[in-house]
Amino acid sequence: MAAAATNVNVKPLNGAEGYLRWKESMLLRLHTVGVAHVLSDEPPPPAGVEEEDGDAAARRRMWARDDAVCRGHILAALSDRIFPDYVRHRTARDAWDAVARTYDNADAASAVAQRMLYDDLALDGAPLLERIARAEALNAATRVTLSLSDAELAELLCQTVLPANAAAAIRSGAATMRDVWRVARIMEAQRVRREDEALHGKCRKCGRSRHHGCNCMR
């Protein structure tokens, strides 16, 4: 298990810009080594607080071990610049929460994501499927009170990303993101086919692309 954890590459956190990737990478590492539970579970009660059973002391020792390992992984994944700000925290949860208080600004991130959602959709350049995926991601990054419903996001994409004929096909029923993806994938397949035909031409014998008449098997 420890060997597997070393394969989870975590770039040391050095500021707010890389926090989201750092957080997800750290959770993967902590789950891999089996110590992530100390960030959410309640620790066992101290000795003497309640009636002991045979395993109580063993549970406390295991918790202390897991907490120390988890805290060590968190601190080891901080850059030298910010490490001194968090090493004072004695438990893994305290260190984790302290880092989150500094960099996990949900309200600000939500507002930025919502602005990016509307701004990015107005820009051309990225492939269609990537633009739709990015719209879904940015919408998910907004707070619940700000995010669009499935139908609202589908309508926004119909207005800003999809051509009029595709949008009309989607709006013929109750527009959903599933419909947007289905139509967009058809459009992408057609685009690839057109580019292939422009590059290779069509066979004069069978009318199919990807080969010429001299190589036709018919």
Side-chain angles (χ1 to χ4, degrees):
M1 188 70 74
T6 61
N7 294 327
V8 181
N9 185 30
V10 180
K11 182 180 179 180
L13 180 66
N14 192 44
E17 183 177 350
Y19 174 74
L20 180 59
R21 180 176 292 277
W22 178 88
K23 175 183 176 181
E24 296 302 322
S25 298
M26 279 304 304
L27 287 173
L28 175 59
R29 171 180 284 185
L30 297 175
H31 279 290
T32 300
V33 298
V35 297
H37 67 95
V38 301
L39 300 179
S40 56
D41 295 347
E42 291 301 319
V49 172
E50 60 182 32
E51 185 177 349
E52 294 277 326
D53 59 32
D55 296 329
R59 287 196 297 270
R60 285 195 297 272
R61 287 194 300 270
M62 180 59 70
W63 179 276
R65 179 263 178 198
D66 288 352
D67 188 64
V69 171
C70 186
R71 176 179 176 273
H73 276 289
I74 293 170
L75 294 177
L78 302 178
S79 70
D80 291 342
R81 184 180 70 86
I82 67 173
F83 175 85
D85 298 335
Y86 303 99
V87 69
R88 64 185 177 85
H89 296 286
R90 306 314 305 168
T91 69
R93 184 184 297 185
D94 286 346
W96 183 261
D97 289 346
V99 175
R101 282 196 301 271
T102 307
Y103 300 116
D104 194 355
N105 190 337
D107 288 341
S110 177
V112 170
Q114 188 181 49
R115 186 178 69 251
M116 290 174 64
L117 172 61
Y118 289 92
D119 290 347
D120 286 7
L121 291 182
L123 301 176
D124 293 327
L128 175 61
L129 298 182
E130 289 185 5
R131 295 175 70 189
I132 295 174
R134 182 164 178 78
E136 284 189 322
L138 290 173
N139 189 53
T142 62
R143 291 182 300 162
V144 174
T145 55
L146 296 177
S147 61
L148 302 176
S149 68
D150 184 88
E152 289 171 338
L153 182 58
E155 176 60 27
L156 177 62
L157 290 169
C158 285
Q159 295 175 7
T160 57
V161 172
L162 297 170
N165 59 338
I170 293 172
R171 289 170 174 149
S172 62
T176 66
M177 284 304 299
R178 184 173 183 176
D179 296 325
V180 170
W181 276 109
R182 178 177 56 81
V183 171
R185 289 179 65 84
I186 293 173
M187 292 175 57
E188 182 67 7
Q190 292 173 341
R191 181 191 66 79
V192 171
R193 185 163 57 250
R194 287 194 301 269
E195 290 183 355
D196 183 71
E197 291 174 355
L199 179 63
H200 300 290
K202 288 186 177 181
C203 173
R204 63 178 181 273
K205 293 183 179 180
C206 67
R208 296 180 179 178
S209 59
R210 296 183 179 274
H211 66 275
H212 295 286
C214 60
N215 298 319
C216 185
M217 301 298 293
R218 294 186 64 178

